Amino acid sequence: MTDILGADGKLEKTFSAENKLEAKYLQTIKLAWKWEDPRLWDFRRPNLYTLRLKVDSEGFKDDYPQVFGFREFWIEGRKFLLNGTEFRLRPNLAPDQWGGNLGSISYIEGCINGMMDVGFNFAELWPWDHDKRGEAHYRELWAETADRLGFPMSGVALSVNQYIVNFASWACIWNDERKAKWTERMTAEMRRYRNHPSIIMWATSANFFGQQQDQNPRFIGMRDYYDKTAKAMAGLDAMEIIRKYDPTRPVFTHHGADIGDVHTCNNYLCMIPLQEREEWISHWVEKGQMPYIAIEFGTPLFPTYHRGRCGYGNSIVTEPLYTEWVAAYFGRAGYYRETEEYRHRIIGAFQGGQLYSSFHADPVLLKQLHFQDLQDLFIRNTWRSWRTWGLSGGMIPWENAQRWTVEAIDEVATGNFKPGARGSYMSSVKKSFLKFYSEEHGWKAYSSGQTLVSNNSDTLAWIAGYPQFTDKTHNFISGNSTKKQIVLINDTRTLQSYSFECEVIIDGKQIAKTSGIGEIVPAQNLFVPIEISFPPRLNEKTDGKILLNALIGDAKHNDVF
């Protein structure tokens, strides 16, 4: 007999069945019951049940509880669907390998709640190889906590890297024996948390299957655009094995191109022109065959601003040229915003020749106003454009230190250990761990952090170009006319009402005004044109602006062009 309890502990369903068991050490039977109307688990809707399986036979009784949730997740073309509705990811990295109290439930809850509060709706558990000697992980606790909070994640199917190549020679060593060994280890780990509804995909094998053309915009989201090596063929074989043991979830490789069901790559576009960056995925929109996740995304990444051009480790010990790069976009203002603190930091780090001490995630440099100015510009324009293109997998922004810093180091007592509690016990944790990205808990958002939050939320409204929304034309001739458009985006999981007011002001005078109300379904982008006729006989350069005030659901959005 099976009792199904709701989240409140009350009995909701009872199912029963009879079956004859043989007298042997191990056997498997299948029992199935039909349930027409369960509540579905979804983002921010953590509908969970507890199944109590009771076995009663002559001389034997047992009672086994299992928490679970109903949900479906699948891929159609370039789209992800959760419970039948398109689900566009706004992803971040779950710090389950780098952090403080990694096995503390307080730490995990604080991380997940903090990510949801600043707009993320999905986290990747980075698929580092936890099977090496001395490694430990708490991914089952992450999944258990994400279940309770209604937060989708990718689980980790055991990395296959060390089973495919010999890292001394980089020769491919994938054979039946190694495949069987990896399969045994992988499935044993998978069984630990395959019943968690928050795990909607499997990730595996970090930074292993990428290849030279995977950032090329013509190949993003395309299958079989390069000749597969023996390593890549072994990877495809491993993906089939994962799907065999769990056909209910898509699987991807971190920075693995098309090895898996999702195209992923470490997308570091550095300082290519911003307009080009905004249109980088336009080919994917037209011809892409797979969902795409920019699994690591430079906003741009800070080593870009250093003199060195020879990999991350070599670049961060070379001269910072932040001001010079900023000046390319802001001219003299970039030099005016350079501070004495910035100059002294460079002088103090100088070692000799072309060598400096490491500037890795250096807070003195990252908080500089001119660096933040450029981050603001790139984050705002890229997030707006890529979301408006309808990117399915989103961008995981690299290096939180470019957007937030922790200023408080207070420790908070957690109380006495409670018997039966999961996770590692800490008598105290850092206050910042109790709510990531929260000012109340000691976090400080740089301006780029505020920009990311405002453009990474469930909904978004902004003033765009026409007919191509990435168009930035802003010089016009008096007496002529033009069009812009309002973009409204709903990435919540429910139908939302919207309203907006928009006015055009030239030389301090209103020359046009429009407004609208309506409803917008989940994963929908709406485009509302704005007609603008310019006054005749303006004899000199005259400034104008477009102002937008919009409401989508309860969220307010403002923009100025």
Side-chain angles (χ1 to χ4, degrees):
M1 185 172 72
T2 298
D3 290 339
I4 308 292
L5 311 180
D8 57 4
K10 295 181 179 179
L11 181 66
E12 295 205 14
K13 293 279 184 180
T14 297
F15 301 102
S16 61
E18 291 187 3
N19 208 309
K20 291 184 178 181
L21 302 180
E22 301 176 24
K24 61 180 183 179
Y25 176 70
L26 180 67
Q27 59 191 298
T28 301
I29 62 170
K30 293 184 178 180
L31 305 174
W33 300 280
K34 195 170 184 178
W35 189 348
E36 296 286 357
D37 57 348
R39 294 182 297 276
L40 300 182
W41 186 98
D42 210 309
F43 174 55
R44 288 201 181 106
R45 294 204 295 270
N47 293 315
L48 295 174
Y49 295 95
T50 300
L51 176 149
R52 300 195 69 92
L53 179 62
K54 301 177 181 180
V55 179
D56 191 351
S57 65
E58 184 178 349
F60 177 79
K61 287 187 177 182
D62 199 8
D63 185 340
Y64 178 81
Q66 173 71 60
V67 178
F68 72 100
F70 288 105
R71 64 109 188 93
E72 289 185 296
F73 185 81
W74 71 91
I75 290 172
E76 288 185 4
R78 295 188 300 267
K79 296 180 179 180
F80 296 114
L81 285 94
L82 176 59
N83 298 327
T85 302
E86 185 180 354
F87 184 56
R88 296 195 287 215
L89 307 187
R90 301 189 306 279
N92 199 12
L93 181 70
D96 79 309
Q97 184 181 20
W98 305 278
N101 308 118
L102 295 177
S104 164
I105 295 294
S106 297
Y107 171 84
I108 297 171
E109 287 181 345
C111 181
I112 292 175
N113 281 322
M115 285 194 285
M116 287 196 290
D117 279 359
V118 298
F120 298 111
N121 66 358
F122 172 84
E124 179 200 23
L125 284 168
W126 200 73
W128 52 278
D129 190 352
H130 58 259
D131 209 32
K132 294 180 180 178
R133 179 173 298 196
E135 297 285 3
H137 71 87
Y138 302 89
R139 288 167 175 154
E140 188 178 359
L141 296 184
W142 279 86
E144 182 180 292
T145 307
D147 288 350
R148 289 190 288 104
L149 298 177
F151 188 66
M153 304 181 73
S154 61
V156 177
L158 180 66
S159 174
V160 72
N161 299 6
Q162 63 174 310
Y163 294 87
I164 288 180
V165 300
N166 179 327
F167 287 110
S169 64
W170 284 94
C172 184
I173 53 176
W174 186 247
N175 55 36
D176 289 343
E177 181 182 355
R178 298 183 68 79
K179 183 190 303 187
K181 183 178 180 181
W182 171 77
T183 301
E184 179 184 11
R185 297 290 303 123
M186 183 273 294
T187 53
E189 283 284 297
M190 181 181 284
R191 282 193 292 272
R192 293 178 57 184
Y193 59 138
R194 64 183 176 186
N195 287 329
H196 291 282
S198 60
I199 302 301
I200 60 175
M201 292 190 282
W202 294 115
T204 186
S205 300
N207 298 334
F208 190 64
F209 294 107
Q211 53 80 49
Q212 291 181 339
Q213 292 292 321
D214 58 13
Q215 286 193 103
N216 187 329
R218 294 172 296 176
F219 300 135
I220 286 174
M222 306 298 287
R223 296 185 185 276
D224 300 325
Y225 56 92
Y226 60 99
D227 293 333
K228 294 293 194 293
T229 62
K231 183 177 80 169
M233 295 303 295
L236 292 172
D237 192 19
M239 298 307 105
E240 286 299 321
I241 294 171
I242 294 172
R243 294 187 195 100
K244 173 184 174 181
Y245 287 95
D246 184 358
T248 71
R249 291 179 173 93
V251 58
F252 66 86
T253 52
H254 178 106
H255 183 53
D258 63 342
I259 305 299
D261 300 311
V262 182
H263 187 121
T264 67
C265 80
N266 296 341
N267 215 163
Y268 293 110
L269 301 179
C270 301
M271 293 296 294
I272 66 167
L274 180 55
Q275 188 70 31
E276 192 173 335
R277 169 189 287 255
E278 289 187 58
E279 299 178 9
W280 199 256
I281 61 168
S282 57
H283 185 274
W284 172 84
V285 172
E286 182 182 356
K287 296 186 176 180
Q289 301 164 337
M290 309 168 67
Y292 176 64
I293 303 176
I295 206 75
E296 293 178 16
F297 193 72
T299 60
L301 183 64
F302 74 89
T304 297
Y305 301 80
H306 288 250
R307 183 181 295 277
R309 285 292 179 273
C310 192
Y312 186 95
N314 292 322
S315 295
I316 62 176
V317 293
T318 62
E319 179 186 5
L321 297 174
Y322 290 44
T323 304
E324 289 75 9
W325 280 110
V326 169
Y329 279 86
F330 296 104
R332 292 182 180 180
Y335 288 92
Y336 295 153
R337 299 271 273 181
E338 182 183 277
T339 67
E340 187 175 352
E341 180 186 36
Y342 171 80
R343 293 189 288 272
H344 282 180
R345 176 70 186 95
I346 296 173
I347 295 169
F350 183 63
Q351 303 289 301
Q354 293 291 328
L355 186 64
Y356 292 74
S357 59
S358 174
F359 290 107
H360 171 71
D362 190 308
V364 173
L365 299 187
L366 299 185
K367 73 179 182 180
Q368 292 302 309
L369 296 176
H370 60 350
F371 175 77
Q372 288 295 314
D373 289 342
L374 199 63
Q375 290 288 320
D376 289 344
L377 176 66
F378 273 56
I379 290 171
R380 178 173 57 252
N381 285 25
T382 307
W383 255 253
R384 286 180 175 184
S385 294
W386 284 32
R387 291 185 67 183
T388 304
W389 284 116
L391 180 63
S392 51
M395 307 85 86
I396 296 180
W398 177 263
E399 190 55 74
N400 279 332
Q402 291 185 14
R403 288 161 290 281
W404 285 277
T405 185
V406 178
E407 295 195 329
I409 56 173
D410 308 17
E411 292 273 339
V412 178
T414 60
N416 295 328
F417 175 75
K418 298 177 181 178
R422 301 291 303 280
S424 54
Y425 170 70
M426 306 287 180
S427 59
S428 65
V429 296
K430 291 181 179 179
K431 186 178 181 180
S432 59
F433 288 171
L434 299 179
K435 191 68 168 294
F436 274 51
Y437 316 121
S438 164
E439 185 176 346
E440 181 183 348
H441 291 80
W443 293 77
K444 179 182 178 181
Y446 296 143
S447 63
S448 60
Q450 297 165 0
T451 300
L452 181 63
V453 171
S454 62
N455 290 282
N456 192 48
S457 56
D458 289 336
T459 58
L460 182 62
W462 64 289
I463 303 164
Y466 184 92
Q468 178 60 23
F469 59 83
T470 54
D471 179 77
K472 300 294 188 301
T473 304
H474 57 278
N475 290 321
F476 305 96
I477 298 174
S478 60
N480 287 0
S481 63
T482 191
K483 286 184 179 180
K484 295 292 181 182
Q485 59 185 331
I486 299 166
V487 177
L488 303 170
I489 297 176
N490 175 22
D491 280 339
T492 71
R493 302 292 296 144
T494 57
L495 179 73
Q496 299 291 324
S497 61
Y498 72 83
S499 62
F500 69 86
E501 291 186 352
C502 184
E503 60 177 335
V504 182
I505 298 172
I506 302 291
D507 200 19
K509 299 176 183 178
Q510 184 189 97
I511 67 165
K513 185 175 182 179
T514 186
S515 62
I517 60 173
E519 293 181 328
I520 181 170
V521 301
Q524 183 181 16
N525 296 351
L526 288 179
F527 300 86
V528 183
I530 309 167
E531 301 273 356
I532 306 172
S533 296
F534 298 107
R537 295 185 300 279
L538 293 174
N539 296 321
E540 59 184 15
K541 178 180 178 293
T542 303
D543 290 333
K545 58 185 176 182
I546 307 172
L547 302 174
L548 171 66
N549 294 299
L551 186 68
I552 305 177
D554 296 325
K556 296 180 180 179
H557 299 279
N558 305 293
D559 194 23
V560 180
F561 181 91

